[in-house]
Structure formats: C-alpha cells, structure tokens
Amino acid sequence: QNGRTLYSNSCGPGMTKTNVTEEFRIRVRGYVIEYPTLQPLAEFGLSVFDFIEEKITWETADGARTQLYLAMSPEIEQLNITAKYFHPQAIEVPPSHLAQGE
C-alpha cells in the first residue's frame, strides 16, 4: 500500500552448526545416564555424528548467508527475483517436484 514491491523467495539453510546439534548431544548423553548399557553405542554414534558435522556442515555465519542475501541484496529488487528457491550460499536452485504442486 505504500508503493513498495514485496519479493517473496524461499531458502533452505542446509546443515548449519547451531545449538540444535548441541541439544542432540545433550539428549544422547541423557539416554546414556538412564540406560548405561547404551554408552558404547552412544559414544560411537556421537563420534560418527561429530565426523559428519565437521565435514558437511556450514559454520553459522556461512549458513546465514542465503537468508541475508535474500533479505538485503539489491540484486533481488534490481533483477526482480521473486518466487524462487535458494539453497546454501545464495544459489538459486529449482525446488523439488513436491514443492511445485506436480
């Protein structure tokens, strides 16, 4: 109503190191306290999780890059980018067929 155009895009942050991963570790340790026989399995599982997290997750600042790009980049308005899907690192990708109503 104030003469401004709204741009609506969506994005997926990908796997980003956040407090959610720490919450996972806390929950696993809680199960070990409740069920001590699970300790070897839990330690193995956490070591695998740590390895995967180290290799494939974005640091928090990098994980926020796409959201910041969509919210603040002048390109969005200049190029009239709307109704698009972006994946980590501000790369436009086609949405899955499920998201396209096919």
Side-chain angles (χ1 to χ4, degrees):
Q1 292 181 354
N2 64 2
R4 297 192 71 198
T5 302
L6 296 177
Y7 297 88
S8 178
N9 293 290
S10 62
C11 64
M15 286 190 64
T16 303
K17 293 178 186 172
T18 65
N19 291 342
V20 172
T21 57
E22 187 56 33
E23 178 65 26
F24 170 75
R25 287 182 183 83
I26 290 168
R27 288 181 181 266
V28 168
R29 290 185 189 111
Y31 288 127
V32 169
I33 291 169
E34 193 170 340
Y35 305 101
T37 56
L38 293 177
Q39 184 168 359
L41 180 61
E43 288 176 4
F44 174 75
L46 286 174
S47 67
V48 170
F49 181 79
D50 290 342
F51 176 80
I52 292 170
E53 182 183 46
E54 181 64 33
K55 299 296 181 189
I56 67 170
T57 59
W58 299 103
E59 292 296 328
T60 307
D62 293 327
R65 184 171 291 148
T66 303
Q67 292 88 324
L68 291 171
Y69 168 76
L70 293 174
M72 302 181 74
S73 174
E75 289 179 356
I76 300 299
E77 187 174 354
Q78 291 166 354
L79 301 175
N80 195 33
I81 298 172
T82 190
K84 303 295 181 186
Y85 175 69
F86 290 79
H87 201 263
Q89 308 309 298
I91 298 170
E92 182 184 335
V93 296
S96 76
H97 70 281
L98 297 172
Q100 297 179 35
E102 296 175 359

